[in-house]
Coordinates of all heavy atoms in Angstrom, one line a residue:
G197 N 1.8 -19.2 4.8 CA 1.4 -20.6 5.2 C 2.5 -21.6 4.7 O 3.7 -21.1 4.5
G198 N 2.2 -22.8 4.5 CA 3.2 -23.8 4.1 C 3.7 -24.6 5.3 O 3.3 -24.3 6.4
A199 N 4.6 -25.5 5.0 CA 5.0 -26.4 6.1 C 5.9 -25.8 7.2 O 5.6 -26.0 8.3 CB 5.8 -27.6 5.4
K200 N 6.8 -25.0 6.8 CA 7.9 -24.7 7.8 C 8.1 -23.2 7.9 O 7.9 -22.4 7.0 CB 9.2 -25.3 7.3 CG 9.2 -26.8 7.4 CD 10.6 -27.3 6.9 CE 10.7 -28.8 7.2 NZ 11.9 -29.3 6.6
S202 N 11.2 -22.3 8.9 CA 12.6 -22.1 8.4 C 12.4 -21.8 6.9 O 11.6 -22.4 6.2 CB 13.4 -23.3 8.6 OG 12.7 -24.5 8.1
K204 N 11.4 -19.0 5.9 CA 10.6 -17.9 5.8 C 10.8 -16.9 6.9 O 10.1 -15.9 7.0 CB 9.1 -18.3 5.8 CG 8.7 -19.1 4.5 CD 7.3 -19.3 4.3 CE 7.1 -20.1 3.0 NZ 5.9 -21.0 3.1
G221 N -0.8 -19.3 8.8 CA -1.6 -20.5 8.8 C -0.7 -21.6 8.4 O 0.6 -21.5 8.3
G222 N -1.2 -22.8 8.0 CA -0.4 -23.9 7.5 C 0.4 -24.5 8.7 O 0.2 -24.2 9.9
G223 N 1.3 -25.4 8.3 CA 2.2 -26.1 9.3 C 3.0 -25.1 10.1 O 3.2 -25.3 11.3
M224 N 3.4 -24.0 9.5 CA 4.3 -23.1 10.2 C 3.6 -22.4 11.4 O 4.3 -22.0 12.4 CB 4.9 -22.1 9.3 CG 3.9 -21.1 8.7 SD 4.7 -20.0 7.4 CE 5.6 -18.9 8.5
F226 N 2.1 -23.9 13.8 CA 2.3 -24.7 15.0 C 3.6 -24.4 15.7 O 3.6 -24.6 17.0 CB 2.0 -26.1 14.7 CG 0.6 -26.3 14.2 CD1 0.3 -26.3 12.9 CD2 -0.5 -26.3 15.2 CE1 -1.1 -26.3 12.5 CE2 -1.8 -26.3 14.8 CZ -2.1 -26.3 13.4
S239 N 1.5 -32.2 15.7 CA 1.6 -31.3 14.5 C 3.0 -31.0 14.2 O 3.9 -31.0 15.1 CB 0.8 -30.0 14.8 OG -0.5 -30.3 15.3
I240 N 3.2 -30.6 12.9 CA 4.6 -30.3 12.5 C 5.1 -29.1 13.3 O 4.4 -28.1 13.5 CB 4.6 -30.0 11.0 CG1 6.0 -29.9 10.4 CG2 3.7 -28.8 10.6 CD1 6.1 -29.9 8.9
F275 N -1.1 -39.1 9.4 CA -0.9 -38.3 8.1 C -1.3 -39.2 6.9 O -0.5 -39.9 6.3 CB 0.6 -37.9 8.0 CG 0.8 -36.9 6.9 CD1 0.6 -35.6 7.2 CD2 1.2 -37.3 5.6 CE1 0.9 -34.6 6.2 CE2 1.5 -36.4 4.6 CZ 1.3 -35.0 4.9
A295 N -2.5 -31.6 13.6 CA -3.3 -30.6 12.9 C -2.8 -30.4 11.4 O -1.7 -30.2 11.2 CB -3.3 -29.2 13.6
L296 N -3.8 -30.7 10.5 CA -3.3 -30.7 9.1 C -4.1 -29.6 8.3 O -3.9 -29.5 7.1 CB -3.5 -32.0 8.5 CG -2.7 -33.2 9.1 CD1 -3.0 -34.5 8.5 CD2 -1.2 -32.9 9.0
D297 N -5.0 -28.8 8.9 CA -5.6 -27.7 8.2 C -6.2 -26.8 9.2 O -6.4 -27.1 10.4 CB -6.8 -28.3 7.3 CG -7.3 -27.3 6.3 OD1 -6.6 -26.3 6.1 OD2 -8.3 -27.6 5.6
N319 N 1.6 -16.2 0.4 CA 2.5 -17.2 0.1 C 2.3 -18.4 1.0 O 2.4 -18.2 2.2 CB 4.0 -16.8 0.1 CG 5.0 -18.0 0.0 OD1 5.2 -18.7 0.9 ND2 5.4 -18.2 -1.2
G320 N 2.0 -19.6 0.5 CA 1.9 -20.8 1.3 C 0.5 -21.3 1.6 O -0.3 -20.4 2.1
P321 N 0.2 -22.5 1.5 CA -1.1 -23.1 1.7 C -1.5 -23.1 3.2 O -0.5 -23.1 4.1 CB -1.1 -24.5 1.2 CG 0.3 -24.9 1.2 CD 1.1 -23.6 0.9
M322 N -2.7 -23.2 3.6 CA -3.2 -23.1 5.0 C -3.2 -24.5 5.6 O -3.4 -24.7 6.8 CB -4.6 -22.6 5.0 CG -4.7 -21.1 4.6 SD -3.9 -20.0 5.8 CE -2.4 -19.6 5.0
G323 N -3.0 -25.6 4.7 CA -3.0 -26.9 5.3 C -2.5 -27.9 4.2 O -2.0 -27.4 3.2
V324 N -2.6 -29.2 4.5 CA -2.1 -30.2 3.5 C -3.2 -30.3 2.4 O -3.9 -31.3 2.3 CB -1.8 -31.5 4.2 CG1 -1.3 -32.5 3.3 CG2 -0.9 -31.3 5.4
F325 N -3.2 -29.3 1.5 CA -4.3 -29.2 0.6 C -4.2 -30.2 -0.5 O -5.2 -30.4 -1.2 CB -4.3 -27.8 -0.1 CG -3.2 -27.6 -1.1 CD1 -3.5 -27.6 -2.5 CD2 -1.9 -27.4 -0.7 CE1 -2.6 -27.5 -3.4 CE2 -0.9 -27.2 -1.6 CZ -1.2 -27.3 -3.0
E326 N -3.1 -30.9 -0.6 CA -3.0 -32.0 -1.6 C -3.9 -33.1 -1.3 O -4.3 -33.9 -2.1 CB -1.5 -32.6 -1.6 CG -0.4 -31.5 -2.0 CD 0.1 -30.8 -0.8 OE1 -0.5 -30.7 0.2 OE2 1.2 -30.3 -1.0
D354 N 3.1 -23.7 -4.5 CA 1.9 -24.4 -3.9 C 0.6 -23.6 -3.9 O -0.5 -24.0 -4.2 CB 2.2 -24.8 -2.5 CG 3.0 -26.1 -2.5 OD1 2.8 -27.0 -3.3 OD2 4.0 -26.1 -1.7
T355 N 0.8 -22.3 -3.6 CA -0.3 -21.4 -3.5 C -1.0 -21.3 -4.9 O -2.2 -21.2 -5.1 CB 0.1 -20.0 -3.0 OG1 1.1 -20.2 -2.0 CG2 -1.1 -19.3 -2.3
Ligands
AMP501 P1 6.1 -24.7 1.6 O1 6.9 -25.4 0.6 O2 6.8 -24.4 2.9 O3 5.2 -23.5 1.1 O4 5.0 -25.8 2.1 C1 4.0 -26.3 1.3 C2 3.5 -27.6 2.0 O5 3.1 -27.4 3.3 C3 2.4 -28.3 1.3 O6 2.9 -29.4 0.6 C4 1.5 -28.6 2.4 O7 1.0 -30.0 2.3 C5 2.3 -28.4 3.6 N1 1.5 -28.1 4.8 C6 0.6 -27.1 5.0 N2 0.1 -27.2 6.2 C7 0.6 -28.2 6.8 C8 0.4 -28.8 8.1 N3 -0.5 -28.3 9.0 N4 1.1 -29.9 8.4 C9 2.0 -30.4 7.5 N5 2.2 -30.0 6.3 C10 1.5 -28.8 6.0

Side-chain angles (χ1 to χ4, degrees):
K200 292 182 173 175
S202 53
K204 291 190 184 153
M224 66 188 286
F226 296 94
S239 309
I240 188 169
F275 192 83
L296 296 177
D297 194 11
N319 172 275
M322 297 289 102
V324 183
F325 75 103
E326 298 91 337
D354 281 320
T355 326

